[in-house]
Amino acid sequence: MIQKQISAYLENKPGQLLDYIQVLGENNIDLQALCIADTEDYGLLRMIVDDPDKAVDLLKKAGHSCAITEVLSVVIPDRPGAMRKALAALNEAQISFDYCYAFFSKEEGKANIVFRVPDNDEALKALEDAGALE
Amino acid sequence: MKEKVVRKMKKYFQPEIETMPREQIKEIQNDLFVKQFRRVYESVPYYKAKVDAAGVNPDEIQSIADISKLPFLTKDDLREAYPDGLLAVPKKDVVRIHSTSGTTGKRVVAYYTQNDLDLWSDCTARAIVATGGSEDDVVQVCYGYGLFTGGAGLNDGAHKLGALTVPMSSGNTDRQLQFMEDMQATVLCCTPSYASFLGESAIERGVRDRLKLRAGIFGAEAWTEEMRRDIEDKLQLKAYDIYGLTEISGPGVAFECEEQAGMHINEDHFYIETIDPDTGEVLPEGSKGELVFTCLDKEAFPLIRYRTKDICVLNPEECSCGRTHIRMSKPMGRSDDMLIIKGVNVFPSQIETVLLNEGLTPNYQIIVDRVGSSDTFDVLVEMPEDLFGDTVAAISRREKQIVSSLKSMLGIVAKVRLVEPKSIERSEGKAVRVIDKRKLY
Ligand SMILES: [Zn+2]
């Protein structure tokens, strides 16, 4: 499925991440996945939450730089070789991605992967055709 | 394709003056200066007191070579003599004032007689003709009208030339573009940042191909060669620089010719010196220094040795356009806020110009420090919302672009750090622009 992801800029200073998480927690926004890309000077926070529009609104009001991007979020079986199959499917279709991250699904035996690809529909089709998805 | 108009080419507005041999320019300057000094000394008590206090015997001022004996005038003098302590004619002879913006304490009011206005419009007419202009042109003036000298200066120059003048004043982009198209404007006069904005707007609205602009005269702000190319590309015209300041008259003190390589100073009206801003010592032609102007034939508000604080280089080489008047470089910045970083002169205004040109907010902070024996130079820039994305690559690309624009303006590499909106420290509502930690040691 196409999933709205929040990305936020983390200045390199203490308490930055805590600030963000606090804003979300205080407003009962459920955090489903989180990952941080770190560079020498700053971090880039990416999150999947249950209400992305509300979350972005709140974060902007709190003075943070953030944006919504549509990423591809797919469910694969939680077993050895499943991730390999998914990556091989994309590779086969010559689809490259900027980043990806994985997290457990709330459903037993399944895992989620988020892909940032140039064309979500094309990538989804490639994964489906290869039978890589649950 | 733009329609080709057969125009009566006119190379100079006042050929005999603009191409006069330099010895003759110097003779004119000499005669005008001696008379001007005498008149101002005798008619302006504030100036007389200043000269007397400097211990200069007015009888010693016999030629332009003696000018270096005279004290400088600065903005402080203008403030002290405000509102009319430097007026050199009876008030009944004054026909107009102009004024710089700024808080009351810092405001400058300049006075003009009819003759002053006539000479000033000659200067701006020269600037328009230097772009290939003639009475066939339609000159759209989008500088502000009113107290600001920009609107009136170019307006009167266009009139003088006999061109059709479209007195738009600033703002209202849709209306600007509408008139530009409907009146078939050929020359655009405004600030370079507004020109760039107009160019973007023209492209967005799909009207660019219906415009007939051939030249732009852009001043009152610092701008770079990159901005020039960008504006030329966006508006499909040739972009010319113009220089001036209210204290001396307004735009047209110096202007660029078709060579686009420095601005010819109207030396028949203004005597120019470059000085070391620290010692006040007059520097040889061609050295980088602060510009000092003397008004040779202005009547109402004739400043003698006025320190502009603009740092420039003069170029006495002959120009292939045929004009003999000396050329000045673009001002590199203001002497009072100049920083020396890694041995290079850096002006905060240059950084501001780059950021504005990059579509960023002019909220920035320069942090200079010294690690070991070398300087560190960080520029903090507030990140606009639209700049932000979800990939490191996109942010790095933008950062690199800012670094490279800064390098082309300053000649040295700055470390750019993007920070969150509104996060730069402010004192009394104004951002603190420069933190020079080297001074603490
Ligand atoms: Zn020239």
Side-chain angles (χ1 to χ4, degrees):
Chain A
M1 67 180 284
I2 313 291
Q3 172 79 47
K4 282 185 177 176
Q5 170 197 262
I6 302 174
S7 52
Y9 186 72
L10 285 176
E11 259 182 66
N12 205 349
K13 62 185 184 195
Q16 271 285 90
L17 181 59
L18 177 62
D19 248 26
Y20 283 79
I21 301 302
Q22 198 151 323
V23 170
L24 300 181
E26 279 166 2
N27 291 281
N28 286 320
I29 287 175
D30 183 31
L31 190 58
Q32 293 161 354
L34 175 152
C35 87
I36 295 175
D38 62 312
T39 75
E40 196 182 329
D41 303 310
Y42 60 89
L44 198 50
L45 172 66
R46 303 180 187 118
M47 293 179 288
I48 306 285
V49 299
D50 61 346
D51 190 344
D53 295 312
K54 184 179 166 196
V56 160
D57 208 39
L58 290 164
L59 290 171
K60 282 193 176 166
K61 276 192 189 126
H64 299 303
S65 302
C66 50
I68 286 187
T69 329
E70 290 191 335
V71 292
L72 179 63
S73 173
V74 293
V75 180
I76 61 166
D78 179 21
R79 65 166 175 259
M83 182 70 174
R84 188 206 61 82
K85 199 168 181 185
L87 292 178
L90 292 178
N91 194 38
E92 187 70 18
Q94 297 190 339
I95 295 171
S96 57
F97 52 88
D98 291 317
Y99 56 82
C100 80
Y101 52 99
F103 55 102
F104 284 119
S105 170
K106 283 177 179 167
E107 283 178 67
E108 185 75 20
K110 291 177 184 174
N112 285 62
I113 319 179
V114 166
F115 285 109
R116 173 72 155 108
V117 287
D119 184 335
N120 287 327
D121 295 326
E122 186 195 9
L124 182 58
K125 189 170 179 303
L127 290 165
E128 279 170 354
D129 290 352
L133 304 183
E134 181 72 354
Chain B
M1 267 306 279
K2 284 185 184 181
E3 233 172 82
K4 290 276 176 237
V5 181
V6 182
R7 38 178 78 253
K8 283 174 264 174
M9 278 302 286
K10 191 169 177 179
K11 216 172 164 206
Y12 315 103
F13 180 63
Q14 291 165 304
E16 62 297 333
I17 297 170
E18 293 177 68
T19 62
M20 181 180 280
R22 287 206 65 75
E23 309 76 67
Q24 212 177 326
I25 296 175
K26 293 205 163 120
E27 257 170 57
I28 290 180
Q29 288 186 325
N30 197 58
D31 293 351
L32 289 174
F33 168 71
V34 175
K35 276 185 230 146
Q36 181 78 310
F37 169 72
R38 202 75 221 180
R39 183 180 74 85
V40 177
Y41 181 80
E42 280 161 10
S43 59
V44 181
Y46 183 95
Y47 188 67
K48 180 177 188 297
K50 183 113 191 162
V51 171
D52 293 348
V56 180
N57 175 359
D59 295 330
E60 276 175 33
I61 308 300
Q62 296 292 333
S63 81
I64 195 91
D66 299 320
I67 196 167
S68 58
K69 296 175 185 163
L70 294 172
F72 294 114
L73 288 173
T74 65
K75 208 151 205 162
D76 289 337
D77 289 300
L78 303 192
R79 216 168 290 158
E80 218 170 296
Y82 181 88
D84 55 9
L86 285 164
L87 185 58
V89 296
K91 233 179 197 157
K92 69 172 176 52
D93 295 335
V94 176
V95 297
R96 200 198 286 167
I97 65 156
H98 281 286
S99 175
T100 59
S101 56
T103 47
T104 317
K106 290 181 178 172
R107 182 167 294 149
V108 170
V109 172
Y111 298 83
Y112 302 78
T113 64
Q114 186 55 52
N115 190 53
D116 291 338
L117 293 178
D118 288 343
L119 299 183
W120 180 22
S121 56
D122 282 345
C123 292
T124 43
R126 287 179 198 173
I128 298 170
V129 173
T131 72
S134 71
E135 60 268 36
D136 295 330
D137 274 299
V138 177
V139 181
Q140 181 155 336
V141 182
C142 331
Y143 283 115
Y145 278 63
L147 285 173
F148 178 49
T149 51
L154 272 307
N155 182 87
D156 294 358
H159 271 201
K160 189 78 158 257
L161 180 58
L164 197 162
T165 314
V166 187
M168 297 298 295
S169 198
S170 52
N172 199 337
T173 302
D174 283 316
R175 196 177 58 184
Q176 297 282 3
L177 291 172
Q178 190 69 59
F179 272 87
M180 211 177 280
E181 183 185 345
D182 295 350
M183 296 300 116
Q184 306 221 320
T186 54
V187 178
L188 173 67
C189 305
C190 61
T191 58
S193 57
Y194 194 55
S196 171
F197 181 72
L198 280 172
E200 270 157 38
S201 309
I203 293 168
E204 265 167 35
R205 291 165 176 68
V207 300
R208 178 167 77 163
D209 293 341
R210 301 204 292 273
L211 301 180
K212 295 279 187 291
L213 295 173
R214 65 165 188 81
I217 301 176
F218 307 127
E221 271 175 12
W223 52 313
T224 59
E225 282 305 310
E226 282 71 46
M227 286 176 79
R228 189 205 300 266
R229 281 192 289 276
D230 177 58
I231 294 168
E232 290 186 333
D233 180 54
K234 280 183 187 149
L235 284 169
Q236 310 273 291
L237 48 65
K238 203 167 164 185
Y240 297 86
D241 203 356
I242 189 165
Y243 175 85
L245 60 175
T246 307
E247 295 92 316
I248 300 304
S249 70
V253 170
F255 61 86
E256 232 173 27
C257 63
E258 75 252 21
E259 299 301 319
Q260 295 179 311
M263 295 175 273
H264 290 283
I265 297 172
N266 286 306
E267 289 182 283
D268 52 325
H269 301 305
F270 310 106
Y271 181 74
I272 182 75
E273 298 167 273
T274 33
I275 62 162
D276 179 326
D278 295 326
T279 63
E281 186 200 340
V282 178
L283 301 171
E285 270 178 5
S287 329
K288 185 195 278 187
E290 179 179 341
L291 291 188
V292 172
F293 277 101
T294 293
C295 301
L296 295 170
D297 51 6
K298 260 177 80 186
E299 296 173 340
F301 200 66
L303 299 184
I304 293 175
R305 296 201 97 198
Y306 180 68
R307 288 184 65 157
T308 62
K309 302 216 165 162
D310 284 328
I311 304 287
C312 286
V313 177
L314 297 181
N315 177 4
E317 278 168 37
E318 240 172 76
C319 183
S320 48
C321 75
R323 286 177 186 79
T324 48
H325 295 226
I326 202 164
R327 281 173 290 167
M328 60 178 270
S329 67
K330 274 179 193 302
M332 294 153 192
R334 311 277 298 164
S335 59
D336 47 358
D337 51 24
M338 186 177 88
L339 291 159
I340 297 175
I341 305 172
K342 302 178 188 176
V344 170
N345 297 345
V346 171
F347 301 95
S349 57
Q350 294 174 300
I351 291 166
E352 188 165 332
T353 302
V354 169
L355 297 180
L356 285 172
N357 192 39
E358 288 291 330
L360 300 164
T361 62
N363 283 326
Y364 63 90
Q365 192 168 61
I366 302 165
I367 301 177
V368 193
D369 204 345
R370 183 162 287 150
V371 177
S373 61
S374 63
D375 293 335
T376 61
F377 175 29
D378 288 25
V379 179
L380 271 56
V381 180
E382 287 187 358
M383 181 155 46
E385 285 196 3
D386 59 342
L387 190 151
F388 186 67
D390 66 322
T391 63
V392 172
I395 296 177
S396 304
R397 213 164 29 237
R398 201 71 167 90
E399 264 183 359
K400 277 191 193 131
Q401 193 185 329
I402 300 169
V403 169
S404 115
S405 304
L406 282 171
K407 179 160 190 277
S408 83
M409 173 72 111
L410 306 172
I412 52 170
V413 175
K415 181 162 176 51
V416 170
R417 281 159 53 194
L418 293 169
V419 297
E420 291 199 297
K422 301 186 189 70
S423 67
I424 287 177
E425 208 180 313
R426 283 160 168 78
S427 84
E428 291 166 4
K430 279 193 86 176
V432 180
R433 294 279 177 241
V434 179
I435 298 178
D436 194 343
K437 295 181 178 168
R438 298 173 302 183
K439 287 181 181 156
L440 301 175
Y441 307 135

